[in-house]
């Protein structure tokens, strides 16, 4: 069997997605997700100009060898664009291997370690009543774990608040499901760490007061704090028993987490913007985190994230794979197959994709009683309707960015 065709497909049904489609000489099709939100065309070029010519004629069964070849032969290693491109190839090859073997991918990875994947959804509100309603809605939707994001007094617009979609002129779009805005320039938002740190503990107190002590609650600080601010937040949230505090500091400085860890027992999750095991290595070895947020799409594929999670398992660190809507249905399927198979699964982030996206990508996963399951179709279980994809050409879109009151650019 040889790889005959490699197509890079860009489609923008509800948002931009980059998908690699490999077709083999005996007719198997494999799909891989290569979406990097706001930088999609860079991955398109990396794949089309540099990777596709290397794949044509090669053996699709050699997943590990292809990964090592693409990673090492480029000489220039790591980075979000390179690793998303490698991830797409890797996913597509697992998809093909599953179809050729007559098995869903999770069977190739060792088989199911559980009946389904605990998933968390996003509750949010500009004000407390909107947030409490949103938590209730998520409970009714079947979520057994819920992320809590709240507006902050005097800040117009911040990451993670669903109803801000309407403020940005698109009532159909939940802002937390799609913070990237179509347009020529990124939207500017505002930030005030002091106001946030003062406000948030009261929000968690109110949520616990309304919904009780047992519901697992999560929160995303989205890289905006210094280590000592993050340490204070972790301590202040201890009475509310969080499942995790996510991305409390910018992810580049691994050492920052040591300071946070020394001060708080609030569990820590990090790594949605990480690309390789090297970004996680010290954090895992020194047990500075509890959950690995890496996505299959951004960590170089199933092959690489599986190894990272096996290393994490030695330190009782669990998976918490990134699953916003900018991970395509193909990337989500890969996450579900991997999460079902590994022993140290923790939780899966899950936001449903929009209706147009579901027309472009036919999915076979199930969502029952708060648990996801990738289904038992061969391979990853996702197919792509190329004609439907063609109806939605790429549209330039950027993630927002933050400025402080004095105009300084701040982490978003
Ligand atoms: O593209 C950026 C989003 O994926 C990110 O902002 C979402 O932080 C996020 C999360 O935890 O889902
Ligand atoms: Mg996050």
């Amino acid at each position: 069997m040889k790889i005959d065709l490699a197509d890079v497909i860009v489609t923008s049904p509800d948002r931009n997605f980059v998908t690699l489609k490999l077709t083999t000489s005996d007719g198997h099709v494999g799909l891989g997700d290569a979406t990097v939100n706001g930088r999609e065309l860079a991955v398109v070029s990396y794949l089309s100009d540099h990777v596709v010519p290397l794949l044509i004629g090669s053996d699709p069964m050699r997943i590990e060898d292809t990964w090592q070849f693409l990673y090492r032969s480029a000489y220039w290693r790591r980075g979000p664009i390179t690793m998303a491109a490698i991830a797409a190839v890797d996913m597509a090859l697992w998809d093909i291997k599953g179809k050729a073997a007559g098995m869903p991918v999770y069977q190739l990875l060792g088989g199911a370690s559980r009946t389904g994947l605990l998933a968390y959804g996003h509750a949010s509100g500009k004000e407390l009543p909107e947030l409490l309603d949103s938590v209730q809605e998520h409970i009714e939707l079947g979520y057994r774990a819920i992320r809590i994001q709240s507006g902050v007094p005097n800040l117009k617009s911040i990451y993670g608040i669903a109803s801000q979609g309407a403020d940005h002129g698109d009532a159909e779009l939940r802002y937390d499901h799609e913070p990237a805005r179509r347009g020529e320039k990124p939207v500017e938002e505002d930030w005030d760490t002091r106001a946030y740190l003062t406000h948030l503990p009261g929000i968690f107190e109110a949520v616990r007061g309304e919904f009780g002590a047992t519901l697992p609650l999560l929160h995303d600080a989205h890289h905006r704090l210094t280590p000592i601010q993050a340490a204070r937040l972790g301590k202040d949230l201890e009475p509310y028993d969080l499942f995790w505090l996510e991305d409390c500091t910018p992810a580049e400085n691994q050492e920052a987490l040591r300071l946070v860890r020394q001060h708080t027992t609030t569990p820590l999750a990090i790594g949605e913007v990480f690309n390789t095991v090297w970004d996680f290595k010290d954090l895992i070895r020194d047990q500075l985190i509890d959950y690995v947020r890496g996505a299959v799409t951004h960590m170089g594929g199933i092959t690489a994230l599986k190894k990272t999670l096996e290393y994490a398992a030695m330190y009782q660190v669990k998976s918490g794979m990134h699953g916003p809507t900018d991970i395509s249905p193909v990337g989500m399927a890969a996450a579900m197959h991997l999460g079902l198979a590994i022993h140290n699964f923790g939780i899966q982030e899950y936001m449903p994709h929009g209706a147009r996206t579901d027309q472009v990508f036919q999915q076979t996963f199930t969502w029952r009683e708060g648990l996801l399951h990738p289904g038992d179709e061969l391979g990853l279980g996702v197919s792509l309707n190329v004609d439907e994809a063609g109806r939605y050409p790429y549209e330039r879109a950027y993630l927002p960015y933050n400025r402080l009151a004095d105009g300084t650019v701040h982490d978003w």
Side-chain angles (χ1 to χ4, degrees):
M1 206 199 298
K2 299 254 179 298
I3 297 175
D4 269 1
L5 288 170
D7 300 302
V8 182
I9 296 160
V10 185
T11 181
S12 194
D14 299 293
R15 50 153 304 100
N16 294 311
F17 291 114
V18 181
T19 310
L20 178 69
K21 179 183 173 197
L22 300 181
T23 310
T24 68
S25 49
D26 42 4
H28 293 302
V29 169
L31 298 177
D33 176 25
T35 308
V36 176
N37 204 0
R39 295 291 185 272
E40 295 86 358
L41 299 186
V43 202
V44 173
S45 164
Y46 194 103
L47 280 169
S48 313
D49 296 330
H50 305 292
V51 173
V52 165
L54 305 176
L55 295 177
I56 304 301
S58 69
D59 179 355
M61 291 293 105
R62 298 182 65 184
I63 299 179
E64 177 71 24
D65 183 69
T66 304
W67 195 96
Q68 299 296 343
F69 169 65
L70 292 176
Y71 184 75
R72 294 174 199 285
S73 70
Y75 187 69
W76 310 104
R77 297 183 185 193
R78 309 163 65 184
I81 307 303
T82 299
M83 298 314 293
I86 295 177
V89 177
D90 185 78
M91 268 180 244
L93 294 183
W94 279 105
D95 196 14
I96 289 168
K97 197 181 275 291
K99 287 168 183 168
M103 288 184 196
V105 167
Y106 76 82
Q107 293 291 9
L108 302 178
L109 300 175
S113 290
R114 56 195 52 78
T115 52
L117 308 172
L118 176 69
Y120 73 90
H122 286 202
S124 66
K126 280 190 259 191
E127 309 277 347
L128 184 60
E130 183 181 303
L131 171 63
L132 297 178
D133 286 350
S134 173
V135 176
Q136 184 58 39
E137 277 162 30
H138 281 80
I139 291 171
E140 283 161 21
L141 287 168
Y143 284 99
R144 293 190 198 163
I146 300 183
R147 192 183 86 160
I148 301 295
Q149 302 295 129
S150 161
V152 173
N154 301 324
L155 294 183
K156 285 192 298 297
S157 177
I158 65 171
Y159 165 74
I161 312 298
S163 57
Q164 285 171 184
D167 303 348
H168 288 285
D170 193 341
E172 259 186 52
L173 272 187
R174 285 181 57 141
Y175 173 90
D176 58 334
H177 284 200
E178 185 42 289
R181 294 286 127 183
R182 291 169 180 182
E184 289 307 308
K185 295 271 162 55
V187 170
E188 184 181 306
E189 298 187 341
D190 47 357
W191 183 246
D192 179 343
T193 301
R194 207 175 159 73
Y196 164 77
L197 290 178
T198 308
H199 188 63
L200 197 65
I203 293 292
F204 273 91
E205 188 178 5
V207 172
R208 280 284 178 228
E210 190 77 15
F211 296 98
T214 53
L215 180 66
L217 299 179
L218 302 84
H219 178 70
D220 190 347
H222 223 251
H223 315 283
R224 292 171 297 208
L225 307 179
T226 66
I228 202 70
Q229 291 166 343
R232 172 183 153 190
L233 182 62
K235 276 174 76 164
D236 287 352
L237 295 179
E238 277 171 24
Y240 313 112
D241 186 25
L242 265 60
F243 186 98
W244 78 33
L245 171 62
E246 176 187 346
D247 288 344
C248 59
T249 58
E252 301 92 309
N253 179 13
Q254 304 201 1
E255 201 58 33
L257 274 294
R258 193 179 307 283
L259 189 141
V260 182
R261 195 67 152 176
Q262 281 161 359
H263 287 281
T264 181
T265 55
T266 295
L268 301 176
I270 204 159
E272 68 184 38
V273 302
F274 289 3
N275 318 122
T276 68
V277 67
W278 304 103
D279 299 323
F280 281 109
K281 180 174 74 71
D282 297 356
L283 296 178
I284 292 171
R285 184 203 55 208
D286 295 349
Q287 299 177 77
L288 303 181
I289 57 169
D290 302 280
Y291 295 93
V292 164
R293 287 282 288 143
V296 176
T297 306
H298 301 131
M299 283 284 294
I302 292 172
T303 299
L305 186 52
K306 185 167 192 288
K307 290 179 190 178
T308 304
L309 291 172
E310 278 159 3
Y311 170 59
M314 289 168 55
Y315 298 90
Q316 293 170 287
V317 174
K318 293 178 189 269
S319 73
M321 288 177 235
H322 195 212
T325 51
D326 50 280
I327 302 295
S328 88
V330 179
M332 279 302 290
M336 289 185 223
H337 283 278
L338 182 56
L340 199 69
I342 55 172
H343 176 247
N344 57 329
F345 171 80
I347 199 165
Q348 174 64 53
E349 184 179 20
Y350 169 53
M351 311 177 185
H353 285 105
R356 288 181 291 248
T357 300
D358 291 342
Q359 293 287 318
V360 171
F361 296 93
Q362 273 80 52
Q363 306 175 65
T364 54
F365 75 93
T366 57
W367 164 244
R368 280 189 207 114
E369 293 167 19
L371 301 183
L372 291 164
H373 190 285
D376 281 297
E377 293 290 317
L378 308 188
L380 291 174
V382 182
S383 57
L384 174 69
N385 182 331
V386 177
D387 294 335
E388 193 67 15
R391 292 181 53 209
Y392 305 106
Y394 169 79
E395 291 188 57
R396 189 179 310 287
Y398 288 104
L399 287 166
Y401 75 108
N402 275 335
R403 285 192 191 272
L404 305 179
D406 69 357
T408 308
V409 172
H410 190 73
D411 301 289
W412 175 72

